[in-house]
Amino acid sequence: VLDPQKYADAAIHDHYIRPMAAYSDVTLVVLNQIDRIPYEQRDRTLEDVRRILADEGLPDVGVVGVSATRGDGIDDLKRELAARIRAKSAARSKLAADISAATAVIAQVGGTSVVPGISPADREALDEALINCAVVPQIVDAIAASTRRRAVQHTGWPVARWLGRLRRDPMKELGLDEDLSTAALARSAIPHAEHVQRAEAELAIRDLADKASVGLERPWREAVRLASSPPGEDIVGELDRAIVDTGVGAGKPAVWWGAGQIVQWLAVLTMVVGLVWLAAQAVELQIASISLPDVNDVGGVSMSAVVAGGTAVFGIVLGLVSRLFARLSGRRKAKRAGRLLRAAIDDVVEERVIAPVRAELDSYGGYRRGIIAAIG
């Protein structure tokens, strides 16, 4: 709104008119106090205002002369404002109709259903399926059995130990090193089962993706499924590498194994000495010229026989007690190994499956909120 005295003022044009150049299509200039201009000069004055506006970058801006005190041109101003409001309202209505139509088409294709997402039960089922695919239960059982066997080999009665060496180590049957570091441990656990394991893993992952996307339209279901198992990604290989990189210390011997072994060998040595002494006594009876030091008998039984028999019984009992501790040690080590291997697999599942699926579901959530807002 300008007045005849200042419509050409440079300050007004520099601070107000020029900055409005970008909004020329929604700008209307009103020259007030038109009653102060002689009637025959009004058109020339309005034309001068239009020229100045054109020079300032607003060539198509409408100019209306009015008098707020006498009412000259007020009706023209009202008609102009009404026309612009109707045009803006019509444009808004058309835009809203276009948005509604486009939203309906998008909603029909993409849907607006609420999805269940990944439930704790579905996550647990996937973990268990992939744990079985990675033959973790077989590895854990092998660690427990091998720990028991090796503990007995270190602390058992030496005679029984020698016989036990004829039995095959469960860890070697699985193709595992004592430190669980072979690159083919899972494949060695179940020979020729690689394709079966891979198929089972893919089926478990697909099952989780399908359950997490129940209610979604086909494009979103396919997107979730693709996120859960991208082409070229080998989930079984990832699980194998996670197991290989997880050190469980399966071959590390316990401290008490060494102590038990020393005691057992001392018992064997004592038994041998007793047997040798007993044999020497038997020879003494045959050859009168041989004389051994006198050793007291125990209840009428030669001390050497008592020592030999007693140490043998002691060694056998110690071996049986060691078996009990070996079983407990094997369970403890297997439990720890199982916990570490499960954690490693859980990390792979979270990174390779769960996180991508959740990201896709979050994308759907943002899309759904936008569609619902557009529908109104």
Side-chain angles (χ1 to χ4, degrees):
V1 177
L2 305 174
D3 58 55
Q5 294 81 16
K6 296 183 178 180
Y7 74 82
D9 190 287
I12 293 177
H13 286 266
D14 290 340
H15 294 290
Y16 298 101
I17 303 300
R18 285 196 182 98
M20 293 296 295
Y23 306 96
S24 60
D25 56 340
V26 292
T27 300
L28 177 65
V29 174
V30 177
L31 183 63
N32 194 21
Q33 302 178 9
I34 194 71
D35 55 301
R36 294 191 177 186
I37 302 175
Y39 184 81
E40 63 275 9
Q41 297 180 10
R42 292 180 182 178
D43 290 341
R44 188 171 65 250
T45 303
L46 294 175
E47 188 61 33
D48 190 40
V49 173
R50 293 188 182 95
R51 179 186 59 78
I52 294 174
L53 292 173
D55 293 341
E56 300 295 342
L58 291 87
D60 300 323
V61 172
V63 180
V64 179
V66 302
S67 172
T69 57
R70 292 189 352 182
D72 296 352
I74 295 296
D75 291 338
D76 294 337
L77 177 60
K78 288 182 178 180
R79 283 192 293 270
E80 181 67 22
L81 292 175
R84 295 197 175 210
I85 291 173
R86 283 195 300 270
K88 191 174 184 64
S89 177
R92 183 183 295 110
S93 298
K94 184 178 184 304
L95 179 60
D98 291 342
I99 291 176
S100 296
T103 300
V105 173
I106 295 174
Q108 185 177 6
V109 176
T112 58
S113 302
V114 178
V115 295
I118 301 174
S119 68
D122 293 339
R123 171 65 189 275
E124 183 178 357
L126 177 63
D127 283 344
E128 290 300 322
L130 295 184
I131 284 171
N132 290 329
C133 288
V135 296
V136 170
Q138 291 89 332
I139 295 174
V140 170
D141 291 343
I143 290 174
S146 180
T147 300
R148 291 194 301 267
R149 181 177 181 275
R150 292 169 61 241
V152 171
Q153 286 178 344
H154 281 81
T155 62
W157 183 236
V159 177
R161 264 191 272 166
W162 295 329
L163 295 176
R165 291 181 184 277
L166 300 177
R167 298 170 57 189
R168 188 171 178 81
D169 190 337
M171 290 184 70
K172 292 181 179 178
E173 290 180 353
L174 288 181
L176 310 180
D177 288 342
E178 290 184 348
D179 59 355
L180 203 65
S181 62
T182 56
L185 53 97
R187 299 287 70 76
S188 299
I190 304 180
H192 313 300
E194 181 176 355
H195 296 297
V196 175
Q197 288 174 274
R198 182 164 283 104
E200 291 177 351
E202 292 174 354
L203 181 62
I205 293 173
R206 175 172 292 189
D207 185 58
L208 176 127
D210 290 344
K211 290 180 179 178
S213 59
V214 170
L216 291 182
E217 296 298 328
R218 181 177 178 180
W220 283 107
R221 289 200 311 272
E222 292 179 350
V224 171
R225 182 176 292 178
L226 182 62
S228 68
S229 183
E233 184 173 293
D234 183 8
I235 187 65
V236 174
E238 290 286 339
L239 296 176
D240 288 348
R241 284 188 288 274
I243 291 177
V244 170
D245 294 339
T246 302
V248 298
K252 186 177 180 180
V255 176
W256 65 272
W257 291 5
Q261 190 173 34
I262 292 173
V263 173
Q264 286 285 29
W265 280 112
L266 289 176
V268 170
L269 181 60
T270 304
M271 183 189 71
V272 170
V273 171
L275 291 175
V276 170
W277 193 266
L278 186 62
Q281 287 179 330
V283 172
E284 181 186 20
L285 295 177
Q286 300 293 330
I287 305 175
S289 60
I290 297 177
S291 178
L292 298 174
D294 292 333
V295 179
N296 295 330
D297 295 340
V298 178
V301 180
S302 173
M303 177 61 74
S304 57
V306 172
V307 170
T311 52
V313 171
F314 171 79
I316 293 173
V317 171
L318 180 60
L320 294 176
V321 174
S322 297
R323 284 180 177 271
L324 176 61
F325 281 99
R327 184 175 296 275
L328 296 176
S329 178
R331 289 178 181 176
R332 179 181 57 80
K333 187 168 291 189
K335 185 177 181 179
R336 177 178 178 274
R339 184 172 64 253
L340 293 175
L341 294 175
R342 283 174 175 269
I345 289 177
D346 185 75
D347 290 341
V348 174
V349 174
E350 178 66 31
E351 179 182 355
R352 299 298 185 185
V353 180
I354 301 301
V357 169
R358 282 178 176 161
E360 200 64 40
L361 293 178
D362 289 342
S363 297
Y364 171 77
Y367 149 82
R368 180 176 177 273
R369 288 189 295 271
I371 286 295
I372 291 177
I375 292 175

